Amino acid sequence: MISSNDFRTGTTIELDGQVWRVVEFLHVKPGKGSAFVRTKLKGVQSGSVVEKTFRAGETMPQALLEKATLEHTYMEGDDYVFMDMASYEETRLTAKQIGDSRKYLKEGMSVSVVSWNGKPLEVELPNSVVLEITQTDPGVKGDTATGGTKPAIVETGAQVMVPLFITIGEKIKIDTRTDSYLGRES
């Protein structure tokens, strides 16, 4: 059980048989009446966002999520297949469960799969990934006085803004949280 006073961004709770993650929270102490906690919750399974108010000190069950490091081995139809490299156990996730993370997901990549009550919920990518540029316009010398950027497509199909000097075939490091270019990789 967790108290509403202990809510922090990223805390997971069970509510109405679903897992919710606290996105925002605000402790309010009005001059008259009792204190309360105003929250914005995101459904881990559905992705929907709701605003909910709890009394200060109200307790509810905390969702105990398990993380396992699995390797993305292949795709079968719309399912992404992950394997536990220690036990060789397969886990299947749909494109909807993976969400936006799939734009940086490639075969052979190790990721954290979050599960609740034995059911996989979502995939957490590493904070940065190294991918190869497959398509970009050539940068023209003298194009800009200060560093400019151009769009580039990486091997997984994601589009990233990169500096003008980046060419096709180069490997770059990308921040998966902000979709931004971090630098070249050798």
Side-chain angles (χ1 to χ4, degrees):
M1 298 295 272
I2 186 169
S3 168
S4 61
N5 295 332
D6 297 330
F7 282 176
R8 300 287 174 260
T9 303
T11 302
T12 53
I13 60 171
E14 287 182 43
L15 205 61
D16 305 325
Q18 287 191 328
V19 178
W20 297 87
R21 180 170 282 127
V22 176
V23 178
E24 290 178 19
F25 66 98
L26 179 66
H27 293 276
V28 181
K29 296 175 187 159
K32 200 176 207 179
S34 60
F36 58 91
V37 180
R38 191 175 294 139
T39 63
K40 191 179 277 188
L41 303 171
K42 182 176 183 176
V44 176
Q45 291 110 320
S46 63
S48 60
V49 177
V50 297
E51 291 187 17
K52 190 153 177 64
T53 304
F54 299 96
R55 291 186 310 276
E58 183 178 349
T59 59
M60 65 227 39
Q62 184 170 9
L64 298 173
L65 302 179
E66 299 158 9
K67 276 188 188 179
T69 303
L70 304 179
E71 189 174 298
H72 173 48
T73 49
Y74 63 94
M75 278 188 66
E76 187 176 302
D78 284 343
D79 289 351
Y80 290 76
V81 181
F82 297 88
M83 185 180 289
D84 184 338
M85 298 314 282
S87 66
Y88 299 109
E89 203 172 298
E90 283 189 352
T91 303
R92 292 173 183 267
L93 288 153
T94 62
K96 184 182 178 214
Q97 285 176 301
I98 296 173
D100 282 345
S101 299
R102 67 180 185 266
K103 66 183 174 185
Y104 295 122
L105 194 61
K106 71 176 193 174
E107 290 181 6
M109 182 182 281
S110 290
V111 297
S112 293
V113 175
V114 179
S115 32
W116 175 65
N117 289 344
K119 291 183 282 194
L121 295 178
E122 62 183 352
V123 170
E124 288 181 0
L125 290 175
N127 291 339
S128 62
V129 293
V130 176
L131 296 171
E132 187 176 326
I133 301 283
T134 57
Q135 180 183 338
T136 188
D137 296 329
V140 179
K141 188 173 181 176
D143 229 356
T144 178
T146 59
T149 59
K150 62 182 179 179
I153 309 284
V154 293
E155 60 188 296
T156 57
Q159 182 174 322
V160 181
M161 296 304 286
V162 297
L164 293 172
F165 58 81
I166 299 293
T167 59
I168 294 174
E170 285 190 74
K171 289 188 184 280
I172 61 167
K173 193 174 204 173
I174 303 166
D175 188 329
T176 57
R177 299 163 297 186
T178 60
D179 299 333
S180 59
Y181 166 84
L182 293 175
R184 286 183 185 173
E185 285 290 317
S186 54

